[in-house]
Amino acid sequence: MVSHTATAHHLPWRTGLAYGALAAPLAFASLPLYVNLPYHYASVAGAPLAGLGAVLLATRAFDALLDPAIGRWVDRLLRQGVVCTASAAILAGLLMALGFGALWHPPFDTQNKMGLLGWLACSLLVCTLAYSVLVILHQAWGTRWGGEPAWRARVTAWREGASLTGVLLASMLPAWLGLDATTGFLALGLALGLIGLLRLKTPVPQQQPQSVTGPASSPWANAGFRRLLAIFMINGVAAAIPATLLPFFVADRLQASELQPVLLLCFFGAAALGLPLWVKAVARWGLAPSWRAGMLASVLAFGFTPWLGEGDGMAFAVICLASGLALGADLALPGALLTGVIHESGEGGRSEGRYLGWWTCATKLNLALAAGLALPLLSAAGYRSGASEPAGLQALAWAYGGLPCLLKLAAATLLWRAERLHSSWRHI
């Protein structure tokens, strides 16, 4: 086992890679589950759309609501030591790979609709619950290190950088290699990521002795956590709305569907390149000011989007590059702030899972809130997918580019107010 202390200012790249690597297959799996899975069951397996939608909604809602309970279980695992933690992580990785593979091979013909949907529900639950265990365990592992703001930003940046790598691979490999090869690639990635993670000693922060006794307090009793989670959710919905509406905007407003893969590459590639810049910004300005600067940079970059129209695909690519650079702040800095909130409350080393269970639940709810907010507004404004009415397309442009900017500004304002109440958020 390798032991590292969070008090060091420099994070060795081998440690960062060993910790962050597991995030790549976890992010790699999430894209096919959200993008490829509905199409596969509707078009290839022949599942009825109404039943398919009900199963996906029910399983995803159930998965999100279980995250806080999974977080409490992860805390117990980490207290029991490396052997129990490693056993649970390996079992979760195995179940996730098996569930992911089973999703693409239902043992029912297209006439047995109930059997098809039942297989989908069971396989998806196995896959997503194992995924949730690994995500919360992985984040709790890094959160336990604690440390100074610059250290926390580096730990989070390694994790989120690996996540971006996984997203980029997932956007290409299913189309190039097929779903069976994608499953094999996922299993290999999970194995390598778990080997790297389990080589690191389960960290016990120096601020919080391992022998702490007494019941852990609820995250909701922590005012700093409540404020940070509210900012995180508002900012998250602002990011999730463009993710939900991107195919509609590119196809109907820009008339450039063929550019969508290039646009995604520009966006996520720029985010990966921007991560080291935001880590350096933390060393100069602190976590909260740097995150706020990222929000404002995103508004400046994305604010031109509502005025784009047909033939402006290349201009939108430039916006994707600029807003992708700003995205690096959203990826690396909120998690680093959360680590500080947990350790300042005295819960470091025993309650990371509790906090991260709610944090992960909020992350999943952001996608649901984005769809629930943007799509009904567009429908009420007269937009129809594939249509070309000017009023509907203008509503799409403002929902895609204007609404996220307003939410980002609201999140930046709340963060500015929270900094006045939590001075440690501004520390370098």
Side-chain angles (χ1 to χ4, degrees):
M1 296 285 179
V2 181
S3 178
H4 296 278
T5 167
T7 58
H9 185 70
H10 175 66
L11 176 65
W13 70 267
R14 288 184 178 86
T15 305
L17 182 61
Y19 168 66
L22 182 60
L26 293 174
F28 176 84
S30 62
L31 196 63
L33 291 179
Y34 279 96
V35 176
N36 300 83
L37 185 66
Y39 177 82
H40 181 84
Y41 269 80
S43 300
V44 179
L49 286 178
L52 177 61
V55 168
L56 292 175
L57 177 62
T59 52
R60 287 170 178 170
F62 182 69
D63 171 49
L65 293 175
L66 276 183
D67 281 347
I70 292 173
R72 292 193 294 272
W73 181 63
V74 164
D75 283 334
R76 290 197 294 271
L77 280 176
L78 289 170
R79 285 196 295 270
Q80 290 168 3
V82 174
V83 174
C84 289
T85 303
S87 300
I90 292 169
L91 178 60
L94 179 62
L95 289 175
M96 182 180 165
L98 291 174
F100 187 88
L103 281 168
W104 315 109
H105 299 284
F108 301 98
D109 58 38
T110 56
Q111 302 304 313
N112 188 350
K113 306 301 183 186
M114 292 303 296
L116 192 66
L117 293 175
W119 180 267
L120 168 63
C122 293
S123 302
L124 188 57
L125 275 177
V126 169
C127 184
T128 55
L129 291 178
Y131 168 87
S132 296
V133 169
L134 286 174
V135 165
I136 294 173
L137 176 60
H138 187 217
Q139 293 186 5
W141 197 295
T143 301
R144 276 189 151 218
W145 270 320
E148 298 301 318
W151 169 278
R152 288 184 262 139
R154 286 183 173 89
V155 170
T156 311
W158 273 102
R159 185 176 68 226
E160 298 304 329
S163 294
L164 287 172
T165 302
V167 169
L168 290 172
L169 288 172
S171 66
M172 299 179 289
L173 289 186
W176 290 356
L177 302 179
L179 293 169
D180 288 341
T182 299
T183 302
F185 194 88
L186 170 65
L188 177 61
L190 287 171
L192 294 175
L194 285 170
I195 289 171
L197 182 67
L198 296 176
R199 287 187 67 250
L200 298 173
K201 185 176 180 180
T202 307
V204 179
Q206 294 191 4
Q207 306 96 303
Q208 187 72 19
Q210 192 175 13
S211 59
V212 168
T213 59
S217 62
S218 167
W220 295 106
N222 187 334
F225 176 70
R226 295 196 303 269
R227 293 188 180 100
L228 182 60
L229 188 67
I231 296 165
F232 176 71
M233 288 201 69
I234 294 172
N235 187 67
V237 173
I241 287 174
T244 301
L245 298 182
L246 176 68
F248 303 98
F249 183 80
V250 173
D252 293 343
R253 178 72 174 184
L254 300 183
Q255 298 290 310
S257 296
E258 70 282 356
L259 288 180
Q260 184 170 318
V262 177
L263 296 172
L264 289 173
L265 181 62
C266 290
F267 182 68
F268 289 115
L273 293 174
L275 279 172
L277 300 178
W278 291 109
V279 171
K280 289 183 179 180
V282 171
R284 177 181 288 270
W285 299 319
L287 282 168
S290 298
W291 188 19
R292 189 157 35 85
M295 294 179 188
L296 297 177
S298 180
V299 171
L300 288 174
F302 219 64
F304 296 98
T305 304
W307 285 273
L308 298 181
E310 183 176 355
D312 291 332
M314 296 311 297
F316 186 59
V318 174
I319 290 176
C320 287
L321 288 169
S323 56
L325 285 172
L327 176 67
D330 287 342
L331 295 176
L333 307 188
L337 277 169
L338 176 63
T339 299
V341 167
I342 294 171
H343 285 267
E344 287 168 16
S345 70
E347 296 296 324
R350 61 173 184 166
S351 294
E352 287 87 355
R354 287 174 177 263
Y355 282 84
L356 287 162
W358 287 108
W359 192 261
T360 306
C361 178
T363 302
K364 294 174 181 178
L365 290 177
N366 283 343
L367 285 169
L369 287 172
L373 178 65
L375 295 178
L377 283 175
L378 278 178
S379 179
Y383 169 73
R384 299 292 180 272
S385 179
S388 57
E389 290 83 358
L393 293 178
Q394 192 60 48
L396 171 64
W398 282 105
Y400 180 79
L403 183 58
C405 289
L406 291 176
L407 291 171
K408 282 273 185 182
L409 290 173
T413 302
L414 289 177
L415 181 57
W416 177 81
R417 292 183 60 189
E419 288 175 52
R420 271 62 194 162
L421 299 172
H422 305 278
S423 59
S424 63
W425 293 15
R426 303 196 301 271
H427 288 170
I428 298 174

